[in-house]
Amino acid sequence: MRYVSLGTFLFAFWIVLSGHYTPVLIAAGAVSALVCVLVAVRARVADAEGHPIELFRGAVTYFPWLIAEIAKSGWSVAKIVVHPRLPISPTMTVVRASQRTTAGVATYANSITLTPGTITVRVNGNDLTVHALTHDGALDVEGGTMDCRVTRFEGE
């Protein structure tokens, strides 16, 4: 099932990027997707880590939420930058990730970094050292909302 899913995803990606729907290009896309799946199987990278189809259901709710968080944080950082006194209060904090897998911890760390105003500067096991532009940003990270969302995305 994982190989069929990977092939379908690669073919759909080809079609979207191509923008042309002639029979020759559709056939070329199908052949290319099939060759890529065969290479992935041969290289042993089409496993649960390389193509995690079990995360699809969580991704449907997680990524829209993450995009909204990025937009809200971007607006907040923009307001700080244009403020005449530049009201920043740089803060370092350490938060504990509740994810069970290294991929889950990496997703959490990357989600923090993608959110404007915060960056994960170090990961040590499940402890993440985070730099925040403001003290309120550090409190948001410490609040654990994103940690809970990533844990749900990872699968409880």
Side-chain angles (χ1 to χ4, degrees):
M1 186 63 190
R2 189 173 308 280
Y3 304 143
V4 172
S5 171
L6 178 60
T8 303
F9 173 79
L10 291 172
F11 178 68
F13 190 64
W14 169 284
I15 292 295
V16 168
L17 290 182
S18 169
H20 299 284
Y21 308 109
T22 63
V24 171
L25 285 177
I26 290 173
V31 169
S32 295
L34 179 64
V35 168
C36 287
V37 169
L38 292 174
V39 169
V41 169
R42 176 91 168 120
R44 295 188 177 130
V45 295
D47 56 1
E49 185 179 0
H51 185 64
I53 58 176
E54 59 277 353
L55 296 180
F56 180 75
R57 194 173 69 187
V60 170
T61 57
Y62 179 71
F63 286 114
W65 175 83
L66 181 61
I67 290 168
E69 289 299 306
I70 290 170
K72 288 191 308 190
S73 294
W75 180 253
S76 176
V77 169
K79 288 192 311 188
I80 290 169
V81 169
V82 298
H83 193 280
R85 290 191 298 184
L86 195 65
I88 63 171
S89 53
T91 306
M92 294 287 279
T93 186
V94 176
V95 293
R96 183 122 179 104
S98 64
Q99 290 70 42
R100 294 174 285 118
T101 64
T102 55
V105 174
T107 300
Y108 182 37
N110 289 334
S111 297
I112 290 171
T113 299
L114 281 171
T115 308
T118 55
I119 184 167
T120 305
V121 294
R122 183 170 185 223
V123 177
N124 186 13
N126 278 28
D127 294 329
L128 283 64
T129 305
V130 177
H131 177 273
L133 188 62
T134 64
H135 185 67
D136 289 341
L139 291 176
D140 283 347
V141 173
E142 290 172 352
T145 303
M146 186 176 285
D147 181 50
C148 290
R149 294 298 294 243
V150 174
T151 301
R152 254 187 294 165
F153 167 63
E154 181 185 37
E156 299 177 69

